[in-house]
Amino acid sequence: KTMKISRPLLITLASLLTRHHASAFMLTSRSSTTVSNLSANGIVSPRLLGGCVTSRHIVSQSHGLSALPTADDVSTDDFMKQLGHASQIIPLLHPQDGDKLLTDDESTSLLELLSRQFGHSDGIRGFFAVYLTSPESLIDEDVPSVLAEAVKSADTKVMVPLACMNVIMPTAMSSIHEDAELKECASKTASSGKKILRLLKGNDDVVRNCEAISRVCQGTEA
């Protein structure tokens, strides 16, 4: 079912989600000064500035898997480091004209890496904070098969709440923003989030989370 939410309720929901750090999208809503400082220190990818960016590859795809973080890195590093890991992984998921396509063995290795990253909240939040605002996800209609498989095989108790919030939060922000560019960026991020959430369509946890969000919007649940 389509859930229609009024603007006042969206504002209230956005406030609730922000206080509880519910969404990976939160990072893209921070001030450009804060994110620029993090970027200057090599902590946050430039693609996060303003929520929408136009630059493409951050890590040259020619480096292949040798430039990627290790399985231990994506399994144990905190949220901020996961942002950098995502910036290294994403170009391999969306090869551009002239890029070498991954072999079957390389695709398998990339799937294993993503599966390890999606094994915990910081990994999921860090990856999608970058991915959902990346040119690759905004332009390409289909979710890469390797990424889709990693999302579907992740623990739904961890993946589903974050996937839901990565749609709800930018949707709320697109209603709140007065600036046309910020509104458009939030709307595009929500569209990218929907592509990921559709991969989990029919899962009982998706239904439960959406019902819980609906109850919050209706004021029937704190």
Side-chain angles (χ1 to χ4, degrees), residues 62-84:
S62 62
H63 287 96
L65 299 184
S66 63
L68 294 180
T70 67
D72 285 342
D73 290 337
V74 298
S75 297
T76 60
D77 283 348
D78 62 19
F79 171 70
M80 297 306 293
K81 289 182 180 179
Q82 296 293 341
L83 298 170

Side-chain angles (χ1 to χ4, degrees), residues 121-144:
S121 177
D122 277 354
I124 295 173
R125 289 172 55 240
F127 178 86
F128 285 110
V130 181
Y131 185 78
L132 295 181
T133 57
S134 69
E136 291 86 350
S137 73
L138 297 175
I139 293 173
D140 294 345
E141 185 62 29
D142 297 326
V143 177

Side-chain angles (χ1 to χ4, degrees), residues 36-106:
S36 294
N37 288 339
L38 292 172
S39 179
N41 290 318
I43 298 174
V44 177
S45 154
R47 71 171 76 228
L48 289 175
L49 299 179
C52 287
V53 294
T54 56
S55 63
R56 293 190 74 84
H57 291 194
I58 294 175
V59 176
S60 172
Q61 210 242 29
S62 62
H63 287 96
L65 299 184
S66 63
L68 294 180
T70 67
D72 285 342
D73 290 337
V74 298
S75 297
T76 60
D77 283 348
D78 62 19
F79 171 70
M80 297 306 293
K81 289 182 180 179
Q82 296 293 341
L83 298 170
H85 300 335
S87 295
Q88 294 176 296
I89 294 171
I90 290 169
L92 296 175
L93 293 172
H94 292 270
Q96 304 304 305
D97 292 340
D99 285 343
K100 179 183 176 182
L101 296 179
L102 296 179
T103 65
D104 289 343
D105 286 344
E106 288 173 333

Side-chain angles (χ1 to χ4, degrees), residues 8 12 16 22 32 38 54 60 67 73 111 114 141 163 175 177 187 200:
T12 300
L16 287 169
S32 58
L38 292 172
T54 56
S60 172
D73 290 337
L111 174 59
L114 281 169
E141 185 62 29
S175 175
H177 282 312
S187 179
L200 303 167

Side-chain angles (χ1 to χ4, degrees), residues 1-221:
K1 295 182 179 180
T2 301
M3 184 169 58
K4 295 183 179 180
I5 308 174
S6 67
R7 189 172 189 275
L9 287 175
L10 280 171
I11 294 174
T12 300
L13 181 59
S15 176
L16 287 169
L17 296 179
T18 300
R19 286 206 306 270
H20 292 284
H21 304 277
S23 175
F25 176 76
M26 283 179 52
L27 184 63
T28 69
S29 300
R30 292 182 180 177
S31 70
S32 58
T33 301
T34 299
V35 182
S36 294
N37 288 339
L38 292 172
S39 179
N41 290 318
I43 298 174
V44 177
S45 154
R47 71 171 76 228
L48 289 175
L49 299 179
C52 287
V53 294
T54 56
S55 63
R56 293 190 74 84
H57 291 194
I58 294 175
V59 176
S60 172
Q61 210 242 29
S62 62
H63 287 96
L65 299 184
S66 63
L68 294 180
T70 67
D72 285 342
D73 290 337
V74 298
S75 297
T76 60
D77 283 348
D78 62 19
F79 171 70
M80 297 306 293
K81 289 182 180 179
Q82 296 293 341
L83 298 170
H85 300 335
S87 295
Q88 294 176 296
I89 294 171
I90 290 169
L92 296 175
L93 293 172
H94 292 270
Q96 304 304 305
D97 292 340
D99 285 343
K100 179 183 176 182
L101 296 179
L102 296 179
T103 65
D104 289 343
D105 286 344
E106 288 173 333
S107 294
T108 298
S109 296
L110 192 58
L111 174 59
E112 292 175 356
L113 195 65
L114 281 169
S115 296
R116 295 287 290 272
Q117 189 172 29
F118 292 171
H120 59 113
S121 177
D122 277 354
I124 295 173
R125 289 172 55 240
F127 178 86
F128 285 110
V130 181
Y131 185 78
L132 295 181
T133 57
S134 69
E136 291 86 350
S137 73
L138 297 175
I139 293 173
D140 294 345
E141 185 62 29
D142 297 326
V143 177
S145 57
V146 172
L147 176 57
E149 187 173 348
V151 169
K152 292 177 181 178
S153 62
D155 182 354
T156 56
K157 300 297 182 185
V158 182
M159 176 64 72
V160 168
L162 294 172
C164 289
M165 291 303 101
N166 285 337
V167 175
I168 293 296
M169 189 64 172
T171 298
M173 296 307 295
S174 69
S175 175
I176 295 168
H177 282 312
E178 301 294 338
D179 181 270
E181 184 177 356
L182 291 176
K183 184 183 290 287
E184 181 183 7
C185 286
S187 179
K188 287 181 177 180
T189 302
S191 295
S192 294
K194 289 175 186 176
K195 292 184 223 176
I196 300 300
L197 188 56
R198 286 192 194 104
L199 298 173
L200 303 167
K201 184 178 180 180
N203 186 283
D204 289 342
D205 286 322
V206 173
V207 175
R208 282 192 288 270
N209 274 269
C210 288
E211 289 176 344
I213 292 168
S214 179
R215 289 193 296 272
V216 170
C217 293
Q218 295 169 25
T220 58
E221 182 173 301

